[in-house]
Amino acid sequence: LTDFGFAGRRTTGGSEFTMKTACGTAEYVAPEVLLSIPYTVGVDLWALGVITFILLCGRMPFDDENKMNLYKKILKADYCMEGEEWESVSDNGKLFISCLLELDTKK
């Protein structure tokens, strides 16, 4: 879900395809990109979680004008699904988001 200029080519067989380029829009970037560790296509699932969050409640899950504070929130997966805007969102919708905004990349 990033600029195709950063796209990589995955070949068949072999080990998991990993990338190392730090890229992406700050509010959508996955923790592993911020930590500068090799990452997989799983970062796109994180971005999908951010997008779904926005579509269901109308605001960003991670938001702060100060970039360092924003990054701290992302690294902790510090988001909230409470309040009036979440009352009409199904439990399955909330579960979908929480599964995508997961810090454990193995999950």
Side-chain angles (χ1 to χ4, degrees):
L1 298 177
T2 64
D3 182 326
F4 285 113
F6 292 109
R9 183 179 181 140
R10 184 175 181 166
T11 59
T12 57
S15 61
E16 180 77 39
F17 179 73
T18 60
M19 296 158 278
K20 298 176 185 164
T21 304
C23 60
T25 303
E27 291 81 5
Y28 297 80
V29 72
E32 49 270 42
V33 175
L34 291 177
L35 293 171
S36 298
I37 58 175
Y39 57 88
T40 67
V41 295
V43 298
D44 290 335
L45 294 176
W46 179 277
L48 181 61
V50 172
I51 292 167
T52 305
F53 189 103
I54 296 165
L55 290 172
L56 291 179
C57 80
R59 63 177 173 83
M60 302 289 288
F62 311 104
D63 193 24
D64 201 298
E65 289 186 25
N66 180 296
K67 292 291 186 208
M68 290 307 295
N69 290 338
L70 172 66
Y71 296 152
K72 287 177 186 176
K73 289 178 180 180
I74 292 169
L75 290 171
K76 293 179 189 175
D78 182 12
Y79 62 92
C80 178
M81 289 191 283
E82 296 176 1
E84 188 176 313
E85 68 268 25
W86 288 100
E87 290 177 7
S88 62
V89 177
S90 70
D91 289 341
N92 283 335
K94 293 174 188 174
L95 177 62
F96 182 70
I97 291 170
S98 65
C99 287
L100 292 170
L101 298 180
E102 170 59 54
L103 291 175
D104 183 350
T105 60
K106 302 293 184 206
K107 290 184 179 179

